[in-house]
Amino acid sequence: MSARLDAAIVGLGRAGLTRTDTRAAAELARLAVIAAADDAGVIATAVDGLVICRSGGATDATLGLDLQRALGLRDLKLNRIALCEGASALAAIHTAALAVATGMANHVACVFADAPITPGTRMRTAFGRQKTGIGMEGLRYTAGLFGGAAVHALSAQRYLALHKLGEDVLAEVAITTRAWAGLNPDASYRKHLTHEDYWAARYVAEPLRLFDCAAPVNGAIAVIVTTRNRAADGAQPAVSILAYAEGHPGAPDRSGFDRTLTHGGAIAGRAMFAATGLSPADIDICELYDAFSIMPLLALEAYGFHPPGQARDAYADGAAQPGGSGRPINTGGGHLSGYYLQGMTPVAEAVLQARGTAGERQCERNATILVTNEGGRLDYHAGMILGSAEQWP
Amino acid sequence: MTSQPVPESDPASAQFFAALDEGRLDLLRCRQCGTAHLAALVCDACNGTVFAPEPASGAGTIFSFTRTYIAHHPAFADRLPYCGGIVELAEGPRLFAPLLGDVPFAVGAAVAFEPQRAEGRGIAAFRLATSG
Ligand SMILES: [Zn+2]
């Protein structure tokens, strides 16, 4: 076990989160930071550090370091961009935690914003813009593999083939996630999803169907990180950061390795469980990056919740659904039915669950919550274990 | 009609794309450990930096694939749905490649290299290997 960073999440702010919002990413980011400071009970000008999450996938590149000026913040002691593709949110929060723990700054805001949907954008092409690419990786476009769905379909196809599983494994993920979304007023898709609905939906990229892919929105999420002492005086119950680790496998593209299924959660999980003395059995809730339904299955196996090929057991008979017999997974509806704001989606839900303020979908046991972030095609991974400050002061 | 996109080469892949533009599928064999690569400046198996080009057999298997129903690029609009995937060459390296033919593909199925051209550039496509 190793010493925990003196840091906690004390504020959560949201802006937009709909498909119809027309504001630019930078404006959504500004509003989310103000909302997060307000939620934390501090005036916005008390924010003395900013970490902006950036991903190659996010479409509006105008969100930059000048967010400081838009917010009217003077004398910042930290202002930087965290760039780790879909893993940027947890990376940003970790940067903020290091900054407050070392006294570099007192209240650090971490924000992600994206506005992929403009009037006239067809939903299904929001993230699949034309590219040519450079070098061997660019051959994906020659092969017609545009957008995240196509490359994650390759992981899903191989996973199902290797373990001799059917597409129903993916259906259970989508259906479970939708059941939670039904209890979340912020979720994009809340209508009950039946098996019939799932099978009737068209393929986007086999074996991924419409309901296996994230729900894009225009929006922003920000959190405020401060020290545990300051957090104790906050307007909201503090959320403790119990552990953070990254895992980037770098699997070569040749025989003997498997870049489509090798998941950095194996590296990050080992590190976080060793640091905390916790094991998978001690995790109460999983908030897993689920831009595509295959992703939580791979994460559950990488973290050691299930042996390879058996993560479907987590979802069997509605085990991970509200009121289910197993561990709750993606309790806000995730990316699939909630909203796709990359790594911040699972963070926001984990904060609400750890506080005990998740409303109708609040889970009874919320002491330890695993949050995962994925970037690239399973190339970059970050994990964090959050906990209610009541139980982890 | 728009051609499908072909990447620009980078230093590691310069040899691969130059050969492909002439219709050949070439490997770079590490002189030190014998590992076959398609593009490399340094061998990730042994840190060797000397490679000998050699023609690939053109035989491979489907490592994974997907049939796509949406054209994100005009070149694919008139061939929906189409298949693309990752091919593992018999010599070991893998690459993204178009999979030709309106046939059912499967992970592990044997495929063979079929050179194609688009606006003067070479494309490494694959088709199911004919048995026997
Ligand atoms: Zn070598």
Side-chain angles (χ1 to χ4, degrees):
Chain A
M1 305 230 301
S2 53
R4 181 146 61 93
L5 279 180
D6 181 10
I9 298 173
V10 292
L12 172 66
R14 289 164 288 184
L17 304 192
T18 70
R19 283 165 287 154
T20 51
D21 201 293
T22 55
R23 291 170 289 188
E27 174 61 4
L28 291 163
R30 187 183 74 83
L31 294 170
V33 171
I34 290 170
D38 189 49
D39 182 61
V42 298
I43 53 170
T45 50
V47 171
D48 58 356
L50 268 183
V51 187
I52 295 159
C53 310
R54 177 70 62 77
S55 158
T59 46
D60 194 337
T62 63
L63 174 58
L65 298 175
D66 58 353
L67 176 63
Q68 174 187 2
R69 288 182 176 282
L71 282 160
L73 297 176
R74 309 255 175 93
D75 304 327
L76 286 188
K77 298 175 186 78
L78 169 70
N79 191 10
R80 67 176 64 164
I81 290 173
L83 206 171
C84 195
E85 298 211 12
S88 300
L90 288 180
I93 292 169
H94 182 243
T95 297
L98 287 172
V100 299
T102 55
M104 182 180 171
N106 292 333
H107 291 96
V108 179
C110 306
V111 62
F112 175 79
D114 198 11
I117 304 162
T118 51
T121 305
R122 289 189 310 164
M123 288 286 293
R124 57 192 192 173
T125 58
F127 293 104
R129 288 176 173 75
Q130 288 183 31
K131 288 173 182 162
T132 46
I134 295 168
M136 300 306 287
E137 193 67 18
L139 284 174
R140 60 176 281 189
Y141 307 115
T142 309
L145 305 170
F146 297 87
V151 288
H152 288 88
L154 299 176
S155 293
Q157 188 86 269
R158 187 161 173 84
Y159 178 82
L160 298 181
L162 218 60
H163 300 297
K164 299 182 169 56
L165 297 168
E167 293 172 3
D168 54 309
V169 171
L170 304 173
E172 295 311 319
V173 175
I175 288 167
T176 289
T177 313
R178 177 63 65 86
W180 285 109
L183 304 178
N184 180 5
D186 285 333
S188 297
Y189 302 108
R190 303 184 59 198
K191 190 171 155 274
H192 178 65
L193 181 68
T194 66
H195 283 87
E196 291 70 29
D197 296 333
Y198 177 86
W199 295 114
R202 61 181 169 78
Y203 280 118
V204 174
E206 284 179 15
L208 301 179
R209 295 170 186 273
L210 185 65
F211 297 118
D212 294 305
C213 301
V217 295
N218 292 346
I221 292 179
V223 297
I224 307 286
V225 176
T226 191
T227 57
R228 295 212 295 267
N229 260 343
R230 284 194 201 88
D233 302 327
Q236 297 280 351
V239 177
S240 295
I241 298 170
L242 305 184
Y244 172 79
E246 301 183 14
H248 314 291
D253 288 311
R254 57 185 159 82
S255 67
F257 303 91
D258 189 341
R259 190 168 163 190
T260 63
L261 296 179
T262 305
H263 191 288
I267 303 165
R270 270 196 303 275
M272 290 199 293
F273 291 135
T276 56
L278 298 171
S279 72
D282 298 316
I283 299 295
D284 290 333
I285 305 171
C286 284
E287 304 294 355
L288 308 175
Y289 197 100
D290 64 341
F292 304 99
S293 57
I294 182 65
M295 301 174 90
L297 293 166
L298 297 179
L300 287 166
E301 294 174 9
Y303 273 90
F305 290 95
H306 298 274
Q310 293 179 33
R312 67 184 188 280
D313 291 349
Y315 296 87
D317 304 316
Q321 289 191 21
S325 59
R327 179 180 291 104
I329 300 172
N330 292 1
T331 54
H335 294 133
L336 293 175
S337 288
Y339 50 85
Y340 179 60
L341 285 179
Q342 299 198 2
M344 277 298 185
T345 299
V347 167
E349 179 63 15
V351 167
L352 295 176
Q353 288 287 350
R355 285 176 174 178
T357 58
E360 260 194 287
R361 64 188 190 282
Q362 178 64 46
C363 299
E364 206 174 317
R365 297 180 53 184
N366 64 345
T368 48
I369 305 174
L370 173 66
V371 181
T372 64
N373 276 190
E374 319 287 349
R377 43 184 186 111
L378 298 182
D379 294 312
Y380 316 111
H381 176 87
M384 187 172 271
I385 301 176
L386 295 175
S388 62
E390 210 172 87
Q391 290 169 78
W392 302 93
Chain B
M1 189 186 132
T2 320
S3 299
Q4 63 206 97
V6 180
E8 296 304 314
S9 63
D10 56 11
S13 62
Q15 184 126 13
F16 171 84
F17 285 107
L20 196 56
D21 288 346
E22 293 169 11
R24 297 194 320 276
L25 186 62
D26 273 10
L27 303 169
L28 289 173
R29 181 78 67 181
C30 173
R31 280 279 179 83
Q32 193 163 289
C33 75
T35 300
H37 302 270
L38 288 173
L41 294 174
V42 179
C43 174
D44 68 284
C46 77
N47 290 326
T49 55
V50 184
F51 300 92
E54 69 177 51
S57 66
T61 53
I62 295 177
F63 189 71
S64 194
F65 71 98
T66 181
R67 193 177 299 270
T68 302
Y69 291 77
I70 299 167
H72 289 295
H73 188 283
F76 297 90
D78 60 354
R79 49 179 109 168
L80 289 172
Y82 62 87
C83 279
I86 300 171
V87 169
E88 180 174 310
L89 300 178
E91 295 85 353
R94 297 186 194 123
L95 72 162
F96 287 118
L99 298 173
L100 307 175
D102 186 17
V103 293
F105 293 101
V107 171
V111 290
F113 170 60
E114 183 169 318
Q116 291 193 309
R117 295 201 75 73
E119 289 176 2
R121 299 290 310 277
I123 291 175
F126 289 80
R127 193 182 287 278
L128 277 190
T130 46
S131 50

